[in-house]
Amino acid sequence: MTQCVKWLMSLIVTSRDTAGCGTPRSTPCGAEGWSPRGRMRHLLWAACSQPLPWETRLGARKLVAFAAAATPRHGWWPPALPAASSSSPGASTGHLQHPGHGAPCRWGSQFNVPPSAQLVARPVGVCSMMKLPVQASSEGLDAAFVGVPLDTGTSNRPGARFGPRQIRAESAMVRRYNASTGAAPFDSLRVADIGDVNVNLYNLPDSCRLIRESYQRIVASGCVPLTLGGDHTITYPILQAMAEKHGPVGLVHVDAHTDTGDRALGEKIYHGTPFRRCVEEGLLDCSRVVQIGIRGSSYDPDPYKYCRDQGFRVVPAEECWRNSLVPLMREVRKQMGNKPVYLSFDIDGVDPAYAPGTGTPEIAGLTPAQALEIIRGCKGLNIVGCDLVEVAPMYDVSGNTALLGANLLFEMLCVLPSVKTM
């Protein structure tokens, strides 16, 4: 903070002889006209605008206001220090303002927005989802990214506990607008990253309790959670919290596996059983459940019998090969109606050629383009929550699996109710 204050004080003096962008008055202030001094000033600003203690930021904002008053109003001024959220002293709004004109700059918004890599280098700052502000709770948010770093329920290769961290890292590539669909989620909803659920790695039932209680608080605040998993066990306690508020929900489930097993090694809770447990507890509206991309060998001659007996619609991967899934999703929207729907996406639903970083890969899966068709096809549904699970980054040194997961979570954000289009 001391260095930040020294820089701001020097800026007050030097800015009287500049156009406000670090260049002499005779030099244009556009990005191409920035001097090395101007570029350094913006880099210094990025470093100084990281989350600070509440009392420190109060003093820093007063200093910024004083410095702005001493600066010519016709030049570019670095964005104002983020104001604190009313719900959390440690939260920041991510506003980018163009001072002196009363209107937001090109990147401005009344909501939190991902910072532009034209102004803040991607490796800079705390590793949060899409470099959004990190907030202590979901209070005051319309939607929140939340991590559940649990892989105690895996049956093959572990590692999904590291999924949330790697997805956040790769999400630095995801930008503000969805140019393909026109969705503008950050102009529509207040979104932040609220960190991770503190799971118990040594006790799976206790982890389920911790997850359920965390999501009860999120749902009670009116926030829609977008979850970074974690293995698929986590969807069971999440749906417990969802059904407590919304009643039995519809389910769009993308996966290589139905995850409706009963027991394994004598245990009833692991990543192969969440949806059977949900059926038993009445958490799902079984007439509004669709499972897409199911495939692979099995231990039973009719592995989908349980699902069909419950009224699920099962769409095997073979029905998706070489096909657009737009017609399928048109049927799914009719099936779901306007009642609450939960979207659960296991990354192994995508073919391991595109997403090898997962614990239970199955050949001949969906393509990333089909994954986008499924998620975009959920636009218009009453989505009350989403998750992206089973990313295990150590099995994909390229980072592509986590990058795909980050983009799919962004697509989920784009189809939430109330998201406007450009």
Side-chain angles (χ1 to χ4, degrees), residues 174-221:
V174 185
R175 302 168 184 86
R176 177 176 174 180
Y177 294 110
N178 191 322
S180 298
T181 66
F186 302 105
D187 294 339
S188 312
L189 306 173
R190 187 167 177 81
V191 189
D193 189 326
I194 60 172
D196 293 332
V197 175
N198 186 21
V199 296
N200 184 345
L201 296 176
Y202 310 117
N203 188 321
L204 192 53
D206 190 48
S207 285
C208 288
R209 176 188 63 81
L210 293 168
I211 296 166
R212 181 179 65 253
E213 291 174 355
S214 295
Y215 278 78
Q216 285 169 337
R217 292 190 291 271
I218 294 170
V219 172
S221 71

Side-chain angles (χ1 to χ4, degrees), residues 288-364:
R288 296 191 303 121
V289 174
V290 59
Q291 298 181 302
I292 305 171
I294 310 301
R295 62 190 189 279
S297 55
S298 69
Y299 294 112
D300 299 310
D302 187 0
Y304 312 144
K305 182 179 186 302
Y306 174 85
C307 300
R308 292 182 174 125
D309 286 348
Q310 310 313 309
F312 296 3
R313 178 176 182 179
V314 179
V315 183
E318 289 85 350
E319 295 183 17
C320 302
W321 292 348
R322 297 177 294 279
N323 292 328
S324 166
L325 301 188
V326 171
L328 168 65
M329 294 312 297
R330 191 178 301 121
E331 296 173 5
V332 169
R333 287 195 299 274
K334 291 180 181 178
Q335 180 181 356
M336 297 296 161
N338 58 5
K339 296 179 180 179
V341 176
Y342 188 86
L343 172 57
S344 185
F345 200 114
D346 188 325
I347 201 68
D348 71 23
V350 177
D351 191 273
Y354 306 104
T358 189
T360 49
E362 301 282 0
I363 66 165

